[in-house]
Amino acid sequence: MINDDFDADFIVIGSGPAGVSVTFPLIEAGARVLMMDGSGPDHPSSEDTTEPWRVALGHRLEALVPDDGLSPKLRTPESRRIIAEFHRSLKIRSDSFLAIGGIARGGLSRVWGSLVSELDARDIEEWPFSINDLRPSYKAVTRRMGVSGSQSDDMSEFYGRSGEILPPLLIGPTAGRLLNDYCPGLFSDFALGTARNAILTVDRDGRKACDHRKKCLWQCGRGAVYDSRFDLIKLATCHEFRIVDYALATRLTPMGNGWEVSVRDGRSFRAPRVVLAAGALATSALAAPLLPNPPSELRVLSNPLIAMPLFVPRRLGCSAVSEGHSVAQLGYRLFYRNSDDEYVTGALYEIDALPPSNFVTRLPLSRPAANELFAAMAPSMLVASGYFHGHYSENRLRLEKRDGEISMTIQGGFRADLPDKFYEVTRRLKKIWRRLGAWMLPGTELAPPGADGHYAGLFGMGQEAEYGTTAFGEMNAAPGVFIVDGAAIPTLPSKHITLTIMANADRIGRHLAA
Amino acid sequence: MRRAFCEFLWSPPIDNARAATGRSTTLRLILTGASGYIGRRLIELAIERSITVVALGSPPANASAARVLPWRLGEEPERAVFEGAAAVVHLAHSWASDASAGDSATNINLVGSEKLARAALANDVPRFIFASTLAAYPGAPNSYGRVKNATEQRLLALNDAQGRVICARIGLVYGGREDGQYGLMTKLVRATPILPIVGIDRIAQPIHVDEVCAALLALAIDPLPRRDGVASAVWVVAGPEPVTVGKWLHTLRFAHTGKRIALVPIPLSVALFGCYLSRIIPFVPTIDRERILGLAGKNWFESSADLELLKVGVIAPEKRLASLRSARRRRVAEAIAMLSYVAGRPISSPKPVARLLRGISRRSDHALGLPWYVFACPLLLRAFEPLRSRPDHRLAQRLHLAAMVIETMHAEQIPDRRPRFINLALQIALEAISLPFRLMLSSRFA
């Protein structure tokens, strides 16, 4: 199979969660894999310092920028750097759309929220394979990431049970109050339980368990939160694996019985098969030029995202506790009215460890009053996120051919009936939270399109069209090119998609290895 | 509103979209070195005059203002780039190549500039403006000057160069953003009251960056004036009034700090030895030998006639710089007031102030013009806050930055947030009192 013309059996573009997930099965089967990374190895960060401003704002004050409505985890210096690099490298224009992507070793898994969930048979009804095809991959990926959560509460079935689940993280006092007041069967349409996070609660593979010091946002330094760089360390020990640094792929050209990938700096690499795992947007930038008759636009699915501030009056007057974490505490699921298969899901976060400025800005008060109010209320507050199904998004990726190159513009938007759904869901949740002892504060709002960062549907698996891909992610228009990241996910349920993207990449990897 | 702001953050302005979608009727300028000190300002001024800029090279910090095409000195841009362009303004210069290749024929500045000019001329771009220096003469002390001189010669000797290739010999540029050589000088004079200096009595011809840009735009776009009836290829864009380097440093120091500077003249050989030491001693910032030699120019060039022909009015540097100090003072005072207001206690330690100023200056260098009583009593800023923080409100935006600076000043990650209900009650009372003022005044710093 190996030809001297080829640098490897497979070229994997992207070092993020999808890239490493597709690589493991390939390596295990003895294939030679060359991974192209748009950035390079991490230099030891000099931000491991005790100076708090360097940690929170960054050496070069990268994070000292005006409020832009992003979630706190995307406002850290690390996130700002990664996203800025993405925008510098990829000239994707956006119109009413927050385009989030990462050009960095490990991709966006460096700055993700760590929430994971498996999909079930209903979620993937329209996909070209069954849930049983995904189960072994879920199991393998879950084991590799290290996922903690509850095994037996109301949400554990919803989050899936294919993989090994480690004991849950500590639940904070405010979230704990809500969970105490909840009992199974209390609501017919609503379920609440411990959130499932890709965070270690036992030491494993050189990574250490979470020590509950609330440093989740700023790299706790223990490796508790999954990040695909840990997998790269494992892969680096394999002979068949090679990673090329600073190789930002710019173009794919067919050659003989394989493909040539050109890099920005003029290098090029060849392999019989190329796997695109650079993140939905970056992958699309590489895949779109391969279509012989590119459509004028492609749809981009994303999960419309709401954020609800909640206040738990019974906690008023308590001071913040020093132990805990700032990732998701609890997860919930709410069925829409008159529907038992369409739902909204999200998570609850305690906010006392997050920078107050994120919230203070939103209060309709002057700064000192808002500071004071926040100081009084933060220990008794929660923020609930909620994700709508991807079909409520209406984002378009417009492709224009100019000067022989394809320029891309994303136009963001929501389906016309989303506001009604938003109203329905918030009204119902308001009642439920009230019943559980939390008041929903004013300020619930829909984040701008794209703010969720879960992009999918561009080259969906099972689509017949030229821009579709097969059940194994192989492009209809370009045999030998496989798409394994979000771009190949055909429908986007409300559940967090990361784990499924990884499992799907693993599934495709197994297929390719066979 | 937030949506508008997001668009502002993440996508280029509409002008740019128009520029990108093809043949517009506006003038199109191709610019190299767009991320440099002069380049950035040139983009701003060009846009004020509705000139579209296509930047070749790495994206400038104000990238959204221009369409950027990846390019490196030495590469030949694609033909399509030049189509319909009014002129190429070539500002890019590789210092690295000066250091490694000196003034040999392999210097990328020489080769790359020639390649770019050839491509531009072959593709019918009417004008090619090459940014040169006053130090461009054959025996110039540093290779920068010699390379610029050699490049001038090469470009002017090209076929079709007649009337199309223009060399602008630029003097010592100052003003605007503290970047490039000007940034280095201001940093120096601000940092130290005593400065050892080479060639204290050498001549410099300072010219403001806006004046340089105006001259470059005139050369690129306006009908080329004829000097004594002849179309000249070399233009001097430098301050008409020569000053000595020593005098200039005095002027800068006084403008930036209000203080005087003591200059210690040192012989050139000693300075060069210093450069050498700085290179071999680890952990000491390296001083560029080229830059030191660059300070040692000695010629004076007549420039007032050229500037007059180009219709560039020059304002004396002392006059321009006079307002600088008061402006900076004002920005500092405003920063202190905002920090103190947000923190609820006086804050004037230099580090947080510097951080806030840096954060603010990414968007704007201008002070808000807050009234005097706010400096005396920062609490009064409350009267100018909008009812709901809007991302496009300038004061609200700066207060948000101030809040981020304040909350990262202290070591403890989780401050004791035991609620202080008396304070809260007091704040709510103040809130009620200030409400009518905010309704009236909050638009003042929007």
Side-chain angles (χ1 to χ4, degrees), chain B residues 218-276:
Chain B
L219 286 169
I221 283 161
D222 299 343
L224 208 55
R226 298 169 86 80
R227 196 195 293 141
D228 308 328
V230 193
S232 173
V234 178
W235 294 79
V236 180
V237 182
E241 296 296 327
V243 293
T244 62
V245 169
K247 171 92 187 335
W248 180 241
L249 290 172
H250 274 298
T251 313
L252 276 187
R253 165 93 174 163
F254 188 76
H256 283 278
T257 64
K259 295 174 195 152
R260 297 183 58 77
I261 192 165
L263 297 169
V264 184
I266 47 169
L268 187 61
S269 50
V270 175
L272 291 179
F273 183 64
C275 294
Y276 170 72

Side-chain angles (χ1 to χ4, degrees), chain A residues 52-53 60-61 63 87 93-94 96 98 352 355 357 361-362 366-368 371-372 375 402 445 448, chain B residues 2 5 7 9-12 20 67 341-342 355 362 382 385 388-389 400 404 407-408 410 417 420 431:
Chain A
W53 73 268
R60 270 171 265 133
L61 303 176
H87 283 270
R93 291 160 194 279
S94 46
S96 321
L98 276 175
D352 57 6
S357 59
T361 305
R362 317 250 138 209
S366 64
R367 282 277 162 182
N371 278 340
E372 209 58 59
R402 189 172 6 99
E445 54 184 15
Chain B
R2 189 157 101 193
F5 184 63
E7 279 165 28
L9 253 191
W10 298 97
S11 69
R67 186 178 158 202
Y341 169 65
V342 171
R355 263 172 243 150
R362 296 219 182 104
R382 192 192 281 259
E385 268 205 85
R388 189 176 152 77
S389 175
H400 179 73
M404 290 173 77
E407 73 194 15
T408 53
H410 302 292
R417 294 218 192 95
R420 296 163 292 185
E431 198 70 7

